[in-house]
Amino acid sequence: LKIAILGTGNVGGTLGRRLAQKGHLVVFGSRDPTHEGIRGLLDQSGPNATVKPLNEAIDGCEVVILATPWPAAEGVLKAVGNLDGKVLIDCINPLNATFSGLDLGFSESAGERIARWAPTARVVKCFNSISAATMADPGYEGTAATVFYCGDDTEAKRVTHRLAEDLGLDPVDSGPLLNARYLEPFAMLYIHLAVREGWGSNCAFRIMKRNSQR
Ligand SMILES: NC(=O)c1ccc[n+]([C@@H]2O[C@H](COP(=O)([O-])OP(=O)(O)OC[C@H]3O[C@@H](n4cnc5c(N)ncnc54)[C@H](OP(=O)(O)O)[C@@H]3O)[C@@H](O)[C@H]2O)c1
């Protein structure tokens, strides 16, 4: 697939590098494609990755991964232009200014708001409940970390599922986009454990089942 990654930080950099290494064509969309750090990211990502300014990044891409801070999301979506029909994978947690909680919840989610800002895109919430360290290495003693995703478009969810599997994760379809209201607080629980309880970023949630129904 040809995939645009908006944001070149922990999440965008890790997902883009690994997807490029898996054979996907990756275009990093950056506010400043010449900034320090981009060169190293491109070197690590290999020949399948390039970088472009935000207003050129999504050209010809079937999939767009949004990996910016929450306060930047609306502006970045405006800057990239028309997302008509593209799969838009939203990794964002709507953290408040002190990172101590969420800006939204219960009756709205970042995923739903992003879908309103990009009304012609096919939005899937995914990758928000695992750390960048788990995106880099999803295996825990031979068992894949679970990544939950939700969205309203079946085909977009199928594409997202496949990308998560390509990365070595255990993807779980968690229903409609409205369920981002649950996936975002779920990630806040993760952040609490990782940061405040001292678990660090090398831990992940795993769902268990008694028989193979999925
Ligand atoms: N870190 C994690 O483990 C983790 C896990 C799951 C989900 N998330 C979520 O994923 C998103 C990205 O997290 P991250 O840790 O990758 O953040 P980060 O390291 O700060 O990277 C964010 C990237 O977004 C781009 N960006 C665009 N507009 C920006 C602005 N106004 N201010 C700052 N950066 C801007 C920047 O790339 P350019 O400079 O190239 O434009 C920047 O490198 C967040 O919403 C976070 O809640 C994070």
Side-chain angles (χ1 to χ4, degrees), residues 6-14 28-33 35 38 51 54 66-73 75-76 90-95 99 126-135 187 190-191 201:
L6 308 178
T8 59
N10 296 308
V11 170
T14 304
F28 290 106
S30 175
R31 293 167 298 172
D32 174 9
H35 80 68
I38 291 273
V51 61
L54 288 171
L66 181 61
T68 67
W70 166 237
V76 166
D90 157 33
C91 308
I92 288 178
N93 287 309
L95 296 172
F99 290 10
C126 189
F127 301 121
N128 71 304
S129 62
I130 57 171
S131 66
T134 296
M135 296 172 202
Y190 177 85
I191 293 165
S201 55

Side-chain angles (χ1 to χ4, degrees), residues 177-201:
L177 190 63
L178 185 138
N179 287 354
R181 295 175 193 185
Y182 312 126
L183 295 193
E184 291 166 13
F186 184 56
M188 196 64 226
L189 172 65
Y190 177 85
I191 293 165
H192 177 83
L193 293 173
V195 179
R196 306 220 185 251
E197 301 293 336
W199 285 62
S201 55

Side-chain angles (χ1 to χ4, degrees), residues 22-191:
K22 291 283 173 189
H24 296 285
L25 296 178
V26 168
V27 182
F28 290 106
S30 175
R31 293 167 298 172
D32 174 9
T34 62
H35 80 68
E36 201 185 338
I38 291 273
R39 179 52 46 205
L41 180 57
L42 289 179
D43 286 346
Q44 288 171 14
S45 304
N48 288 336
T50 54
V51 61
K52 290 192 176 165
L54 288 171
N55 65 344
E56 294 172 23
I58 67 167
D59 291 351
C61 292
E62 298 109 318
V63 177
V64 178
I65 297 181
L66 181 61
T68 67
W70 166 237
E74 186 176 14
V76 166
L77 288 172
K78 276 193 185 126
V80 297
N82 190 355
L83 286 157
D84 214 3
K86 296 185 195 296
V87 176
L88 176 60
I89 301 177
D90 157 33
C91 308
I92 288 178
N93 287 309
L95 296 172
N96 65 20
T98 59
F99 290 10
S100 59
L102 300 176
D103 255 358
L104 302 171
F106 301 115
S107 58
E108 205 193 4
S109 61
E112 292 164 282
R113 204 174 276 189
I114 283 162
R116 283 211 304 279
W117 291 334
T120 57
R122 300 184 286 161
V123 178
V124 181
K125 182 105 213 166
C126 189
F127 301 121
N128 71 304
S129 62
I130 57 171
S131 66
T134 296
M135 296 172 202
D137 180 5
Y140 284 82
E141 314 298 340
T143 301
T146 301
V147 68
F148 299 91
Y149 63 88
C150 63
D152 295 333
D153 185 291
T154 305
E155 172 61 15
K157 289 208 283 189
R158 196 190 60 73
V159 170
T160 304
H161 189 106
R162 193 186 122 199
L163 290 177
E165 279 184 336
D166 284 352
L167 293 167
L169 289 156
D170 172 39
V172 173
D173 184 347
S174 306
L177 190 63
L178 185 138
N179 287 354
R181 295 175 193 185
Y182 312 126
L183 295 193
E184 291 166 13
F186 184 56
M188 196 64 226
L189 172 65
Y190 177 85
I191 293 165

